[in-house]
Amino acid sequence: MALTGNDTITTNTCSAEDTQAVAARLASLLRPGDVITLAGDLGAGKTTFTRGLVAALGVPAQAVTSPTFTLLHEYRGGRLPVYHADAYRLTQAGDAEEIGLLEAINDGQGVAVIEWAERIISALPAARLEITLDDIGDDSREITLTGRGERWAGLAREWDTTC
Ligand code: ADP
Ligand code: MG
């Protein structure tokens, strides 16, 4: 685990399961109201990561699918509800309101996870955890987690004391 800064974590994974283990580690740090953005090309592993996160929060087994067409999925029954959005088809920040994402974030009860968040970034809170997945060949991915704002100031320290 290489630490590249106070609030940035970079780690490599070698399989989808490995990426889900990273997501599970993050899950243990999450609190109501957290906003997570996922960036990375098609097939980088954004939905796979979300799957690991949802499972680790204890949501009863159910299919976590890409919300590309329904735009916002809700997963309930775990430690925290998860609002899973895919902004791939959105074209303007106002669409975040349209699909009910802002309401879910403002509600503050759960964790919002947004794939392709760069498309609606100006609508999202500045305090957020930005995650980037890069395909670095075959089944390898480089995952970077960057904490923005006071909420995430202790990310690197917390990460090191969790498993
Ligand atoms: P995205 O949501 O970013 O488009 P998906 O999670 O839907 O990507 O798909 C990622 C694909 O890559 C899956 O088929 C997954 O099994 C595969 N894969 C291979 N290696 C990894 C890895 N290290 N991390 C995540 N996914 C991986
Ligand atoms: Mg996806």
Side-chain angles (χ1 to χ4, degrees):
M1 188 80 49
L3 295 183
T4 54
N6 203 26
D7 58 357
T8 299
I9 292 158
T10 301
T11 187
N12 289 1
T13 64
C14 306
S15 67
E17 292 71 28
D18 230 6
T19 290
Q20 292 184 325
V22 171
R25 188 168 181 169
L26 173 64
S28 65
L29 305 180
L30 296 177
R31 304 179 202 153
D34 283 346
V35 176
I36 298 170
T37 63
L38 290 172
D41 291 341
L42 213 60
K46 301 181 292 299
T47 300
T48 299
F49 187 97
T50 306
R51 205 167 276 142
L53 197 78
V54 167
L57 285 172
V59 175
Q62 61 176 296
V64 173
T65 54
S66 172
T68 303
F69 298 104
T70 48
L71 301 174
L72 185 68
H73 284 170
E74 280 188 36
Y75 299 105
R76 294 186 172 273
R79 182 171 74 79
L80 295 166
V82 177
Y83 309 106
H84 180 203
D86 189 323
Y88 184 68
R89 277 158 206 279
L90 304 185
T91 51
Q92 50 196 356
D95 290 340
E97 180 83 60
E98 204 69 29
I99 65 168
L101 175 62
L102 295 191
E103 196 186 337
I105 291 173
N106 292 332
D107 187 42
Q109 310 255 317
V111 174
V113 180
I114 306 133
E115 300 188 39
W116 297 102
E118 54 270 36
R119 312 235 168 180
I120 53 164
I121 206 74
S122 65
L124 299 178
R128 58 184 182 243
L129 181 65
E130 296 178 354
I131 301 179
T132 301
L133 294 108
D134 277 318
D135 186 337
I136 52 172
D138 298 323
D139 289 344
S140 297
R141 304 289 187 273
E142 183 180 87
I143 304 177
T144 306
L145 303 91
T146 304
R148 306 263 180 223
E150 195 62 28
R151 157 67 183 104
W152 297 103
L155 173 64
R157 182 176 34 80
E158 281 189 73
W159 185 265
D160 276 346
T161 53
T162 193
C163 298

